[in-house]
Amino acid sequence: AEEAWDIFSSITDDNHPKGPTSFLRVELCEDLLKTLDTKMMFRRMVEGWEIIRDDIRLKDSIEPTQEMYRLITKAYVNLKDFIGAHQLLDYRSEKTNLAPAPRIVEVVMHGLVMITRNYNSAVKLFESSKKQGVTMGSAIYKLAVKSLEESGQVGKAIDVLREMKDKGLVVDESAHKNKLESL
């Protein structure tokens, strides 16, 4: 894995005579991410992603695959960088027009709410996922309600509770008894 990383680094080095576009292909990048993933080298995975995303010479020649996005999201989550994971999901959606899987949304939202306590990012992820048509279960809705309440958007939290009730999703009635009575 270290050897694969060293090769990738030398190819993307600014001093390489032919530049990275003559050597790098999407398959090579995906294979590198898979290799790094098997060795749990998550920091290197993120570094590789940042090179691919930010290097102007690579931006147009390397179009990440869905597997690459999945692996990079996994790396951010394992590094507990949930803001980075959220930014990646936004970037992916912008570039591919594809919605993330519900489980990925749930994991990233859980990290944003319970670990980083970044409620505004969690609300944005919920709203963008909803807009993209992600099938969301009770867990995602509950995280959205908590985020909305914690960020002072109680009215929107009540709307989400109402939506949950309308969809027949499980609502923790003891935690929201007063709010539910007002519905």
Side-chain angles (χ1 to χ4, degrees), residues 76-157:
Y76 276 117
V77 167
N78 277 287
L79 292 170
K80 300 204 180 338
D81 182 353
F82 297 101
I83 293 170
H86 175 224
Q87 290 169 342
L88 175 65
L89 292 177
D90 282 348
Y91 181 88
R92 174 184 176 244
S93 296
E94 178 185 308
K95 294 291 183 187
T96 67
N97 247 358
L98 295 173
R103 181 67 180 138
I104 291 173
V105 172
E106 182 181 337
V107 168
V108 174
M109 274 190 71
H110 184 269
L112 288 169
V113 174
M114 306 308 279
I115 297 173
T116 66
R117 302 203 188 302
N118 191 318
Y119 304 115
N120 291 329
S121 288
V123 169
K124 287 177 187 171
L125 179 56
F126 173 74
E127 290 172 349
S128 67
S129 298
K130 189 174 167 184
K131 191 181 297 182
Q132 290 178 304
V134 173
T135 304
M136 297 186 277
S138 297
I140 294 173
Y141 273 92
K142 288 176 185 177
L143 290 166
V145 169
K146 179 172 177 57
S147 298
L148 289 162
E149 289 175 335
E150 295 292 335
S151 63
Q153 301 177 59
V154 178
K156 283 187 176 182

Side-chain angles (χ1 to χ4, degrees), residues 15-32:
N15 297 324
H16 195 283
K18 293 189 178 185
T21 56
S22 61
F23 293 103
L24 276 183
R25 300 286 176 265
V26 73
E27 298 83 13
L28 178 68
C29 294
E30 187 173 306
D31 287 345
L32 172 67

Side-chain angles (χ1 to χ4, degrees), residues 26-62:
V26 73
E27 298 83 13
L28 178 68
C29 294
E30 187 173 306
D31 287 345
L32 172 67
L33 289 171
K34 287 177 182 177
T35 300
L36 295 172
D37 180 50
T38 60
K39 299 296 182 184
M40 298 182 359
M41 298 174 72
F42 303 119
R43 178 94 35 229
R44 291 279 194 218
M45 292 170 71
V46 169
E47 287 176 36
W49 161 246
E50 290 171 347
I51 290 169
I52 292 166
R53 182 197 62 205
D54 297 338
D55 190 322
I56 193 74
R57 300 166 300 171
L58 295 173
K59 224 173 201 163
D60 296 326
S61 64
I62 302 290

